[in-house]
Amino acid sequence: MDTPRPGRTAGDRQQAAVASDADFVVVANRLPVHLDTSDPDAPRWRRSPGGLVSALDPILRNRRGAWVGWAGTVTGGARPALPEQDIRLHPVPLAEDEYRDYYEGFSNTTLWPLFHDVVVPPDFDQAWWHSYLRVNQRFAQHTAGLAAPGATVWVQDYQLMLVPALLRALRPDVRIGFFLHIPFPPPELFLQLPWRSQIVDGLLGADLIGFQLPGGAQNFLQLVRRLHRGESVGRAPRSSLLGSVLVPGREVRVGAFPISVDTAGLEELARSEAVRERARQIRRQLGEHRRVMLGVDRLDYTKGIDQRLRAFEALLADGRASARDTVLVQIATPSRERVEHYRRQRARIEALVGQINGTFGQVGQVPVHYLHTTVGRSELAALYGAADVMLVTPLRDGMNLVAKEFVAARPDLGGALVLSEFAGAAHELTRALLVNPHHPAELSDVMAAALDQDPAEGRCRMRDLRRHVRERDVHHWARSFLTVLRAGGSGAVPSGSDDSPQAAVVA
Ligand code: GDG
């Protein structure tokens, strides 16, 4: 199949000619806001919680920064703005059929499963691909119209992998970084994709391509070699940079930059009296003497929620736990609810919860508390604080921020973290109780071991885990990426990206 060589139409040139003054532009599928319609008479834009926003916020405020993304509504309506007008938001419109084909289709039914070890089979659909290409072109055009001469542009994630090349064709003067939040699969899997060369060429429009783990970066470098898309050069992995791809006239650097959380912010929240009191209240509500296990995930088939429930069921069945002494609280945040695999996953999980509670529960005492909802940030911190055991057991996950958030929210050094080997976080949080979630007996055993963990050993592990997330927080992540991006070629330098130790190594 032909590689899309983004053509420069008169419309493109016109878009690029729009007055542009943003020195630092973040481009992501979603703007960092959502429309709060709890009062239907007065809908309000509210800032969405998340580490990405808090990490980029100071950089966006200090420079003439802008965020390009979809506002989350296909119905139009009021232009999104934050109450305090602090970050300049630039909405990219999406039509209903584009939401279906670009977002639910190509992004979440083709790329998402393909990049997560084909946990479910990906669908390949030409119409979805065309929609993905069209929407990526739109994002590139909007960004081109907004960026100041020599600006730094940071493109985020798998929904926008064509944007780097499309943007470079419109604005060769800007410096482009790309970061992939999900795993990058081995070439054997990626090569299934009918549009594989186009995606690789899209990414190669960047100056720096960042992955969560060195393995993802290496998979990408191997793929470039297999597809002959440029000369791929490896480097001794002394720093975040793992190699480069030489394309005509340019070097594209490739590295690993594990994302993290706002550790200090979460710790402060966890230490607040309101959150601590709420944590005590949750424990009282669940039963003073019961051990509390917790899962917090988007309801996604990659997160291993059903494997976790089955492992708990096995503990109840063999008597290592009972509804009297143990409870599992599972927060399952609604996600991609119109996509078939997600609908089926929800039905499977809810049947399993019903089965477990029906078999092992008593009046007033059920073993699983399942909430299909989104809870507030303080409530989440209180749940982290109330848990004896945090269960993070994805079958495959780029990083998993919940694991790092739990650690950040435990200044009391309490709680045990059970963590899947297949989460990116396992490469850093090696003092967690690591587990293979594909192995049912091992999963039950590690959950039982976590419930019975010696408190002194638990504190020791938690101390080590906390040291890591304090040093490597989300600010460190953003600084490391932007410092390396700045270290090559020309372009505006975002403030706050002071030299990190890694910069010295790669300079
Ligand atoms: C992708 C990659 C990578 C969840 N429920 C509630 C809530 N959350 C928050 C968590 C956490 C975030 O959502 C989920 O982040 P994860 O990392 O666990 O997972 P993905 O959504 O799949 O994210 C992943 C990440 O990008 C970043 O690069 O780590 O691998 O798949 O922050 O706290 N927050 C609130 N209420 C909830 O009910 N407030």
Side-chain angles (χ1 to χ4, degrees):
M1 234 157 280
D2 286 336
T3 304
R5 291 290 173 206
R8 261 192 90 161
T9 64
D12 295 339
R13 277 190 292 272
Q14 205 177 11
Q15 180 76 42
V18 169
S20 44
D21 66 351
D23 286 336
F24 179 58
V25 186
V26 174
V27 190
N29 175 58
R30 281 297 306 269
L31 286 172
V33 289
H34 61 275
L35 196 58
D36 177 357
T37 51
S38 49
D39 177 355
D41 296 330
R44 291 184 58 177
W45 289 101
R46 291 196 189 279
R47 176 187 284 251
S48 306
L52 190 59
V53 198
S54 45
L56 299 178
D57 190 79
I59 307 167
L60 286 159
R61 276 176 203 249
N62 293 346
R63 304 291 300 188
R64 282 171 299 164
W67 189 305
V68 176
W70 178 53
T73 160
V74 287
T75 51
R79 190 187 166 87
L82 285 169
E84 61 272 44
Q85 294 285 321
D86 52 1
I87 301 179
R88 199 163 126 203
L89 303 178
H90 186 93
V92 177
L94 280 192
E96 178 70 46
D97 64 327
E98 289 171 337
Y99 180 75
R100 188 191 61 214
D101 295 348
Y102 144 78
Y103 181 70
E104 294 179 331
F106 199 78
S107 297
N108 289 321
T109 312
T110 305
L111 295 174
W112 179 269
L114 182 67
F115 281 39
H116 286 88
D117 284 0
V118 295
V119 173
V120 306
D123 286 349
F124 301 122
D125 181 311
Q126 191 75 20
W128 293 353
W129 160 252
H130 284 303
S131 185
Y132 184 82
L133 176 56
R134 198 165 51 245
V135 172
N136 272 247
Q137 273 161 343
R138 189 174 309 143
F139 271 81
Q141 282 161 2
H142 280 257
T143 309
L146 205 66
T152 296
V153 177
W154 193 0
V155 184
Q156 309 286 327
D157 227 359
Y158 63 102
Q159 302 93 348
L160 301 175
M161 289 191 287
L162 302 177
V163 168
L166 294 165
L167 177 61
R168 182 169 294 282
L170 296 168
R171 289 291 305 273
D173 60 301
V174 299
R175 187 180 302 170
I176 306 170
F178 178 90
F179 183 76
L180 185 71
H181 290 254
I182 66 174
F184 193 84
E188 291 66 31
L189 292 182
F190 187 89
L191 288 168
Q192 290 180 12
L193 188 67
W195 309 278
R196 56 204 192 180
S197 298
Q198 288 96 319
I199 295 284
V200 172
D201 288 348
L203 291 171
L204 288 174
D207 295 292
L208 172 63
I209 308 175
F211 297 89
Q212 299 274 24
L213 300 182
Q218 270 141 5
N219 285 345
F220 180 75
L221 289 166
Q222 269 183 41
L223 184 68
V224 166
R225 252 172 258 140
R226 290 271 291 269
L227 291 172
H228 308 291
R229 307 318 291 178
E231 191 188 333
S232 156
V233 188
R235 278 185 193 228
R238 286 179 305 138
S239 70
S240 0
L241 280 186
L242 290 135
S244 296
V245 180
L246 304 178
V247 293
R250 288 188 307 119
E251 179 187 14
V252 182
R253 286 162 312 142
V254 175
F257 303 86
I259 199 169
S260 191
V261 297
D262 177 14
T263 310
L266 272 160
E267 177 165 341
E268 194 186 330
L269 185 63
R271 283 185 192 277
S272 72
E273 189 41 43
V275 165
R276 286 167 51 196
E277 176 47 34
R278 176 65 188 137
R280 288 191 287 271
Q281 189 185 39
I282 290 170
R283 289 201 66 110
R284 281 197 299 275
Q285 285 170 338
L286 292 170
E288 290 285 11
H289 304 293
R290 290 168 101 195
R291 301 171 297 182
V292 178
M293 294 202 285
L294 175 67
V296 175
D297 311 79
R298 266 188 316 99
L299 210 166
D300 193 299
Y301 50 79
T302 61
K303 300 292 182 183
I305 303 171
D306 27 9
Q307 285 77 1
R308 182 185 310 164
L309 287 167
R310 279 186 211 289
F312 183 45
E313 185 180 31
L315 293 183
L316 294 165
D318 68 21
R320 282 187 282 175
S322 76
R324 216 175 337 100
D325 59 35
T326 311
V327 58
L328 168 58
V329 178
Q330 176 65 55
I331 309 289
T333 311
S335 183
R336 306 171 192 169
E337 296 202 286
R338 300 197 315 181
V339 177
E340 185 54 30
H341 285 300
Y342 286 77
R343 275 208 289 257
R344 274 195 239 146
Q345 165 77 354
R346 180 176 173 192
R348 255 198 320 269
I349 287 171
E350 293 185 353
L352 200 48
V353 170
Q355 184 186 309
I356 297 170
N357 284 343
T359 308
F360 299 100
Q362 296 170 24
V363 173
Q365 209 163 58
V366 291
V368 182
H369 285 236
Y370 165 82
L371 288 105
H372 180 248
T373 186
T374 303
V375 299
R377 192 163 165 263
S378 299
E379 180 73 0
L380 187 59
L383 284 161
Y384 287 148
D388 295 302
V389 176
M390 182 79 223
L391 299 170
V392 179
T393 58
L395 303 176
R396 173 62 75 194
D397 215 331
M399 178 54 59
N400 197 292
L401 298 181
V402 169
K404 291 185 174 180
E405 287 167 3
F406 174 67
V407 171
R410 295 308 297 253
D412 63 340
L413 304 183
L417 174 62
V418 172
L419 179 59
S420 163
E421 290 167 25
F422 297 92
H427 290 247
E428 297 170 83
L429 303 183
T430 51
R431 292 280 283 152
L433 299 168
L434 297 180
V435 68
N436 173 5
H438 299 274
H439 186 330
E442 184 182 310
L443 187 51
S444 299
D445 288 349
V446 174
M447 280 163 64
L451 285 168
D452 295 335
Q453 178 172 257
D454 169 53
E457 155 147 18
R459 281 194 296 278
C460 183
R461 284 177 179 270
M462 188 52 85
R463 197 173 290 117
D464 293 346
L465 292 169
R466 287 178 53 75
R467 194 173 303 125
H468 186 89
V469 298
R470 277 224 201 95
E471 284 166 12
R472 303 274 169 143
D473 65 1
V474 72
H475 304 288
H476 176 275
W477 168 76
R479 246 187 346 257
S480 308
F481 186 93
L482 292 170
T483 303
V484 176
L485 179 58
R486 182 184 61 178
S490 60
V493 178
S495 73
S497 59
D498 51 318
D499 288 342
S500 72
Q502 286 160 334
V505 181
V506 298

